[in-house]
Amino acid sequence: MITVKEAKSIIQKHIPLLETETVSLNKAGSRVLAQEITATFPSPRFDNSAMDGFAVRAVDTKGASQSNPITLKMVSVISAGSPSDVAISPGESAQCMTGGKIPDGADAIVMVEDTTGFSDANSVQIFAETQPGKHIRKQGEEIQEGDVLILKGTSITPSEIGTLANFGYAEVAIAKKPRIAIFGTGDELVEPGNELKPGQIYNSNLYVFAELAKRAGARVVMRNVIKDDRESLRAFLSEALITCDMIISSGGVSMGRFDYVRDVFMELGVQEHFWRVAQKPGKPLFFGTAKSTIIFGLPGNPVSAYIGFIEWVWPVLNRMMGKKDPNFLTGILKEPFPREKVKYRFLFGNAWMEDGKLVCKPATKVGSHMLSSSLEANCILGVENGERPLRPGEEIRVNILPWKTIG
Ligand code: AMP
Ligand code: MG
C-alpha cells in the first residue's frame, strides 16, 4: 500500500498529452485551448469615438457654453465603418458616430447633446468646452499588438470566445476530447427502470461516471455493466484498450472472491503501477497503463467511486487535455473531522465564506455506501493521516466540486 502523495507522483509520470484538432469558433466553447492566443492588432485598432457627437479640435471650443456658443464649420459625416479622409482644420468639425474613426486634425469629441445636433447644415453650434482626448477611445489603450491574450490550456468560456472573435480568430486549436470506456462489475447490479429482485441494487456508479466524464470534457464511447465473469470482462476490455484513451472501472478490484478486474487487466497486458492506496474511502485503487491508454480501477462503493473519480481521474483528464490543475483551497473546520491513523481521509463536505474566511464541515453521513452525502456537498475535504480527529478551528484541504460555487 502506498501513500496518496506517492500515488499522485507515479500518475504524473504516465499521463499522455492528447492530440489537438482545429475547430470553428462556434464549436470551441467548453473545450481546452491548445494554442496561445496573441493580439493580432492593437485594441482599439484605431482612435475612434466613444459617443455620437462632433469631432473637433479641443482648442476651438475654449470658452463655449450655453450662453456663449461657438460656431464651427461642418466638413464631413463619419459613421462606424465609414471613415473620412477629410482632415479637421481650425474652426472645423465633423459629425462622428460611436465607433467612427477620428479624423486627422481632431483631438476630441463633443457629444451631440452639447451641440445644436446632427443636421445637413454646414455649421454647428457647440455649447460646452472640451479637452484633448475627451470621448476618444485611443488606439492600443486596451491591448497592444502581440500581447498574450489567452494561455494554452485555458478552458474556453464566453469570455475566451468573445476575445477570439474580437481578434478575428475564425478557428482555434483545441485538445481532442479524451475517449473513455466506463464499466461496472457485479452480478447484483440492475439498471434503473427494471425491478429489483432480492439482493439486487441499482447501478448508480456508471451514471455518476458518465456525468462526471462529460463535465470533465471527455467523451464516453464505451459503457457497460458486466457480470462477475472473466469472459465478458475480457471481451469489453480488449476492445476498450484499442479504442480508448482511458478506461475507468467501478468495483471488482477489492479482495472479494469475484473481484476479477485486476486479473483480467494483467492478462491483457496492462502494466500495473499501483493497486492499493492508503486512503479512505477507496483503498483498492488500481492504476495502470497499456500503450497510451490509462486504466483506473475505482472501488464499487458509490461514495468511494465518486470521490475517487474527482480526486484521481478528473485531474488526469485535465492534464491529458493540457489543462493545469486548480490550486486546492484551505478551509477552517467548523466541526470535528475524523482523521485516520494510517490513511488519508476524504469526505464530502460543505464550504462557505464566514467573516471573510473559508470555513467548512464534513457531511454528516460518512459511510462509503451513503451516496446521499453528496447531495448537499459542494466540496471534498481531505486530510493526511494523524493520531486524533481534527478539531474545529483547524485547517483542512478543500476541493470544490468543479461545477459548484462556494456557498
Ligand atoms: P465491489 O468493489 O465490487 O466489492 O463493490 C463494493 C460495493 O459497491 C458493493 O456493495 C457493490 O454492490 C457496490 N457497487 C458496485 N458497483 C456498483 C455500481 N455500479 N453502482 C452502485 N453500487 C455498486
Ligand atoms: Mg462486486
Side-chain angles (χ1 to χ4, degrees):
M1 195 160 71
I2 59 171
T3 66
V4 165
K5 211 169 157 196
E6 285 161 348
K8 295 236 157 166
S9 96
I10 292 171
I11 289 175
Q12 292 312 325
K13 296 184 192 119
H14 297 281
I15 306 178
L17 198 63
L18 292 177
E19 286 172 11
T20 65
E21 59 186 322
T22 299
V23 295
S24 70
L25 200 48
N26 278 326
K27 297 215 164 114
S30 302
R31 305 294 295 271
V32 181
L33 195 62
Q35 68 179 106
E36 188 181 78
I37 300 296
T38 52
T40 43
F41 47 78
S43 181
R45 207 156 79 83
F46 47 88
D47 289 2
N48 69 85
S49 177
M51 290 283 196
D52 291 323
F54 286 82
V56 299
R57 291 154 33 91
V59 65
D60 289 350
T61 67
K62 209 163 171 17
S65 69
Q66 281 291 345
S67 55
N68 180 34
I70 285 174
T71 303
L72 297 176
K73 192 175 164 201
M74 199 153 60
V75 295
S76 64
V77 178
I78 300 160
S79 61
S82 304
S84 159
D85 49 16
V86 178
I88 304 298
S89 303
E92 291 182 348
S93 72
Q95 297 180 29
C96 190
M97 309 307 140
T98 305
K101 188 170 183 300
I102 304 294
D104 288 348
D107 63 0
I109 292 288
V110 176
M111 57 183 186
V112 65
E113 291 87 337
D114 290 335
T115 71
T116 42
F118 297 133
S119 73
D120 291 333
N122 50 19
S123 72
V124 62
Q125 289 192 324
I126 307 288
F127 300 126
E129 243 183 51
T130 188
Q131 293 78 40
K134 191 80 178 166
H135 301 315
I136 291 183
R137 303 162 172 166
K138 289 296 283 177
Q139 180 187 56
E141 72 177 9
E142 183 194 1
I143 288 159
Q144 300 289 314
E145 182 171 346
D147 279 359
V148 175
L149 298 171
I150 313 171
L151 294 175
K152 201 169 156 171
T154 304
S155 275
I156 302 176
T157 73
S159 310
E160 282 73 27
I161 293 274
T163 301
L164 286 160
N166 204 15
F167 285 89
Y169 287 86
E171 41 183 42
V172 277
I174 54 169
K176 282 195 170 168
K177 286 191 174 199
R179 293 164 56 86
I180 300 200
I182 55 177
F183 70 96
T185 58
D187 289 342
E188 75 279 27
L189 300 176
V190 172
E191 287 294 310
N194 298 294
E195 211 174 304
L196 291 175
K197 302 206 177 71
Q200 294 184 323
I201 59 165
Y202 287 120
N203 156 39
S204 60
N205 290 350
L206 292 198
Y207 289 85
V208 173
F209 284 5
E211 185 59 23
L212 286 170
K214 190 169 88 186
R215 285 174 186 263
R219 180 175 291 141
V220 175
V221 293
M222 287 179 70
R223 167 179 178 163
N224 213 348
V225 172
I226 299 169
K227 294 286 169 205
D228 287 321
D229 137 63
R230 284 169 191 263
E231 273 320 304
S232 340
L233 202 53
R234 206 175 281 131
F236 181 90
L237 284 178
S238 315
E239 189 186 334
L241 283 169
I242 298 167
T243 52
C244 294
D245 302 305
M246 187 188 277
I247 301 173
I248 310 164
S249 74
S250 121
V253 287
S254 327
M255 301 295 284
R257 241 186 102 180
F258 307 103
D259 291 339
Y260 301 129
V261 173
R262 184 168 165 256
D263 290 352
V264 178
F265 281 153
M266 310 299 242
E267 281 169 33
L268 292 174
V270 170
Q271 194 191 346
E272 174 178 304
H273 299 297
F274 60 78
W275 173 37
R276 276 175 291 187
V277 176
Q279 62 173 0
K280 184 177 176 177
K283 184 174 84 167
L285 173 69
F286 176 95
F287 175 72
T289 51
K291 299 211 181 85
S292 63
T293 305
I294 284 189
I295 296 106
F296 274 110
L298 296 178
N301 272 310
V303 172
S304 322
Y306 192 159
I307 290 182
F309 194 115
I310 294 282
E311 293 287 339
W312 297 94
V313 178
W314 191 296
V316 173
L317 290 172
N318 274 351
R319 289 291 183 97
M320 289 169 93
M321 293 183 281
K323 215 170 135 179
K324 305 251 171 329
D325 301 332
N327 289 330
F328 289 129
L329 303 174
T330 300
I332 299 165
L333 281 164
K334 298 289 280 184
E335 288 174 17
F337 189 92
R339 210 154 33 153
E340 289 286 308
K341 285 201 167 59
V342 289
K343 293 185 205 157
Y344 196 101
R345 183 63 159 124
F346 294 110
L347 278 175
F348 277 116
N350 246 288
W352 67 99
M353 295 304 290
E354 208 174 272
D355 301 329
K357 292 201 171 102
L358 186 67
V359 295
C360 57
K361 63 173 187 195
T364 44
K365 296 172 187 168
V366 296
S368 55
H369 56 298
M370 299 178 179
L371 189 56
S372 65
S373 64
S374 68
L375 277 179
E376 304 296 324
N378 69 348
C379 63
I380 294 169
L381 302 177
V383 69
E384 296 283 355
N385 61 305
E387 283 305 311
R388 55 164 183 83
L390 287 180
R391 302 184 185 111
E394 291 189 292
E395 290 189 335
I396 191 162
R397 190 220 68 168
V398 179
N399 186 8
I400 300 291
L401 296 171
W403 57 93
K404 291 276 189 180
T405 49
I406 297 171

